[in-house]
Amino acid sequence: GRALCNTPIWMDTRAGSLCQELEARVGGEKIFACSGNPLSASYTLPKVLWYKEHLPQVYEKAEKVLQSNGYLAFRLTGAVTQDKSQGYGWACYNVARNQWDISLCQELGVKPSLLPEIVSCSQVVGGVTPQAAQETGLLEGTPVVAGGLDAACGTLGAGVIHPGETQEQGGQAGGMSLCVDSAQADPRLILSAHVVEGLWLLQGGTVGGGGALNWFEREFAAAERAAAQEQGGSSFQQLDREAEAVPPGCQGLVFLPYLAGERSPLWDIHAKGVYYGIDFSKTRPHFARACMEGVAYSLRHNLEVAQEAGCPCILLAQGHQSRDAAGHGRRRQQPPVDPDKGGHHRQGHPGARLGRRHLPGRGPFGRGGRGRLWGLRPGGGRHGARHPGAHPQPRTPASLRTGLPAV
């Protein structure tokens, strides 16, 4: 097997009109009842149908459609699999029962033969083949685990394994993952299986996360790049320092970070970014801070929707990742804005990396294990009674690694 062509990433929304057609023909309620999610052009199935309509020669040649981790597992082992944490993007995946709905798949217009076998995220799907060992330098027979959704792996890495616990992640996009013990769907949010067996994640996924700040730095931070080159450090750190000098609320300047439409909870591919409240008193640091605050408010919007859906949140941890002008990953220092506006900085974690490493054994964060992160309520402040698994001291990435199994 080989890859037939390049594939569009989640930000590609060319399949938007197909989603409208499917909802009208099949029924949005019927699709939601199965998958626990509304149709979105960001997801897998609309993209597959876009290929069917616009590149039929590719669609007809396809034997299976794999996620990126599934493709890596295939190249390493020959196994053709779909981890269950990413099944929700197919629309014909029943997220509550963890199985394909073949009848709905056919009704949606997709060949059932394209669907891979569904496996648990921690399942060993095979061993490294002799050919893969020769090509990669890995030992032949090395066990390969299915893996999972980046946000779900990050959620495990942050120690979010009990219902009600939540973590915030920030990369190109932004979002949060709330752990629940049943397939509790809400059409404004994203429902997926957790990488931990027996749990699900009710997620918020925005478009304007770190990508919004990256856009601002690229277009408006030439002075900060020059200063960073002279003084050392990063242009993003320069922007942080400038933003800290502006009072919270940016004196009325508001930024809507909808730079490529918006996902949850708006689900509008036509939404646009906006700066509102501009007057002669506003300076570039105002615009920088407003950009950061807009991202934080979009996260809070999702948290409030989750609470409206009956899911109270305990925010355990947040991870931040920025890139300097040269493109090198650098962990940001304490962020100048926070989604709860309570002034509490959570311990940052490289959660996705730790979660991926943790999947084979799940160690102290397995089902029923005990995480060691302080519980923080969205309103700010540590709550008096410890939630299940809470310990007095927050765990650092270094201390987390001591509990990880050898991989």
Side-chain angles (χ1 to χ4, degrees), residues 210-259:
L213 187 58
N214 198 45
W215 163 79
F216 185 90
E217 188 275 344
R218 184 182 71 238
E219 299 299 333
F220 306 112
E224 286 76 11
R225 285 195 293 272
Q229 190 170 7
E230 289 182 8
Q231 302 168 17
S234 161
S235 56
F236 291 101
Q237 293 169 336
Q238 296 277 349
L239 288 172
D240 281 352
R241 286 190 286 269
E242 294 173 10
E244 285 173 341
V246 177
C250 298
Q251 298 174 313
L253 184 63
V254 176
F255 176 63
L256 302 181
Y258 310 145
L259 300 181

Side-chain angles (χ1 to χ4, degrees), residues 219 233 278 331:
E219 299 299 333
I278 302 171
R331 181 159 299 282

Side-chain angles (χ1 to χ4, degrees), residues 4 7 47 144 160 215 243 245 274-275 286 332 374 386 407:
L4 294 174
T7 58
K47 288 178 166 55
V144 177
V160 174
W215 163 79
V274 172
Y275 271 110
H286 283 87
R332 290 181 58 196
W374 271 107
R386 296 179 192 170
V407 179

Side-chain angles (χ1 to χ4, degrees), residues 318-370:
Q318 62 186 163
H320 297 272
Q321 185 80 17
S322 291
R323 293 187 176 272
D324 61 18
H328 303 295
R330 292 195 178 180
R331 181 159 299 282
R332 290 181 58 196
Q333 302 304 312
Q334 180 168 336
V337 295
D338 204 27
D340 67 358
K341 298 297 179 221
H344 298 279
H345 171 56
R346 281 75 161 172
Q347 177 69 40
H349 291 274
R353 296 194 298 274
L354 293 177
R356 285 193 295 268
R357 288 183 59 188
H358 230 53
L359 280 176
R362 296 196 302 280
F365 288 141
R367 194 74 167 97
R370 296 173 64 82

Side-chain angles (χ1 to χ4, degrees), residues 143-219:
V144 177
V145 174
L149 179 70
D150 53 358
C153 289
T155 302
L156 171 62
V160 174
I161 57 167
H162 301 101
E165 294 176 346
T166 313
Q167 64 96 23
E168 177 262 334
Q169 66 266 353
Q172 165 67 31
M176 58 83 183
S177 298
L178 169 62
C179 185
V180 291
D181 56 8
S182 63
Q184 190 170 343
D186 188 286
R188 296 168 293 178
L189 298 173
I190 303 166
L191 178 66
S192 76
H194 199 341
V195 293
V196 180
E197 286 295 303
L199 295 173
W200 287 260
L201 296 175
L202 194 59
Q203 302 175 75
T206 68
V207 168
L213 187 58
N214 198 45
W215 163 79
F216 185 90
E217 188 275 344
R218 184 182 71 238
E219 299 299 333

